[in-house]
Amino acid sequence: MSERLEKLAARLQERFKSADGKLVSAFGELTLEVPAAALIDTAQALRDEDGFGFEILIDVCGVDYLEYGVAEWSTEQSSNQGFSRGVEKASFGRFTFDDVDDRRTCEGPRFAVVYHLLSVSLNQRLRLRVFCEDNEFPVVASVTGVWNCADWYEREAFDLYGIMFEGHPDLRRILTDYGFVGHPFRKDFPLVGHVEMRYDPDQARVIYQPVTIEPRVLVPKVIRHDHRYSHESAEEKPADA
């Protein structure tokens, strides 16, 4: 960690110790995690107080930690059938099913909101993270009163993750259609979606219908022909060949 980051980290730990702030340093970056109840006070302090000066909000991101760390690809080792992707699903994002008991739950809060901050005057950056307390109805306070540009960012997080921002002046979808059902960036939203759109010549209009895509799993295969595997090919030939 650079000397500048060390000084910033020390100021952050001292300032937000009373707010149960947690500071994480990794890859030359700082992440400050605070409770949802302390979000607005923390945001105002980071913008206005000396030593911080984070006058610019670069981005607001939603995060879904459901099945965090679960992977379906294994690429460290390969077999004669290639790098494997389990046919038995490791997560449910690729499939559509109605069995809610098949849904794996995460340990701790599921949804978080991440704010990327920049101080031009002090040439420093900070990541601020807040977890939503309720997994079924995730809510955090809107920071539009602190940084006006949070307006569209928070609408995007609401649209894609279903995170509510209390106090937002106009919280509605911004990327998906008005009649869209669900939030497509949630981990339990199937990759094939729920509905599809097509033009119906009989009705002379665009209609929505249940998705007709069949979920499938493609397992890539590595075919080797070089001399290292020539003896294996000979062993596989029948005796009367």
Side-chain angles (χ1 to χ4, degrees):
M1 188 188 306
S2 65
E3 181 179 353
R4 179 179 297 175
L5 277 182
E6 289 180 355
K7 291 181 179 179
L8 176 60
R11 289 195 295 266
L12 290 169
Q13 288 178 334
E14 180 64 25
R15 173 61 178 83
F16 299 105
K17 184 186 303 181
S18 59
D20 295 329
K22 177 183 177 182
L23 189 65
V24 178
S25 175
F27 306 105
E29 298 178 348
L30 294 177
T31 301
L32 175 64
E33 182 180 318
V34 297
L39 172 59
I40 298 301
D41 291 339
T42 301
Q44 291 177 340
L46 291 174
R47 184 194 64 180
D48 300 334
E49 293 185 5
D50 295 337
F52 300 135
F54 292 102
E55 66 273 12
I56 297 179
L57 174 67
I58 298 177
D59 197 8
V60 177
C61 306
V63 184
D64 183 358
Y65 285 96
L66 185 67
E67 294 194 345
Y68 178 70
V70 176
E72 295 176 340
W73 286 93
S74 177
T75 57
E76 295 181 355
Q77 296 180 350
S78 63
S79 65
N80 61 354
Q81 295 186 1
F83 294 104
S84 64
R85 183 178 187 180
V87 176
E88 295 295 330
K89 61 183 175 62
S91 66
F92 48 75
R94 295 181 292 120
F95 295 81
T96 303
F97 59 89
D98 299 323
D99 186 4
V100 295
D101 294 332
D102 198 13
R103 178 178 301 180
R104 296 179 177 86
T105 57
C106 57
E107 297 180 359
R110 172 180 172 179
F111 295 101
V113 182
V114 179
Y115 307 83
H116 297 274
L117 308 178
L118 170 64
S119 173
V120 176
S121 58
L122 299 178
N123 190 23
Q124 58 190 13
R125 297 174 183 267
L126 177 67
R127 182 183 298 110
L128 175 65
R129 180 170 62 180
V130 176
F131 281 96
C132 303
E133 297 178 355
D134 190 345
N135 291 345
E136 298 299 323
F137 188 70
V139 181
V140 296
S142 173
V143 297
T144 52
V146 182
W147 296 287
N148 291 335
C149 64
D151 189 337
W152 282 23
Y153 296 144
E154 291 179 349
R155 284 180 59 186
E156 182 182 40
F158 159 71
D159 191 358
L160 301 180
Y161 290 94
I163 299 174
M164 305 295 296
F165 292 89
E166 188 176 11
H168 190 283
D170 185 21
L171 192 61
R172 53 193 170 93
R173 292 187 182 273
I174 192 172
L175 293 176
T176 59
D177 197 3
Y178 293 107
F180 193 87
V181 178
H183 304 283
F185 275 18
R186 288 191 174 190
K187 295 293 181 64
D188 52 1
F189 191 90
L191 294 184
V192 297
H194 295 295
V195 297
E196 64 185 19
M197 181 178 62
R198 70 175 178 87
Y199 179 77
D200 190 315
D202 297 330
Q203 303 182 43
R205 65 181 181 89
V206 173
I207 65 171
Y208 289 90
Q209 64 184 28
V211 65
T212 58
I213 300 174
E214 291 293 334
R216 61 176 179 167
V217 178
L218 300 179
V219 181
K221 184 175 183 180
V222 178
I223 302 176
R224 305 178 177 89
H225 295 293
D226 60 57
H227 67 281
R228 294 175 297 171
Y229 307 98
S230 58
H231 64 283
E232 296 180 1
S233 300
E235 292 176 358
E236 294 175 357
K237 292 182 179 179
D240 56 352

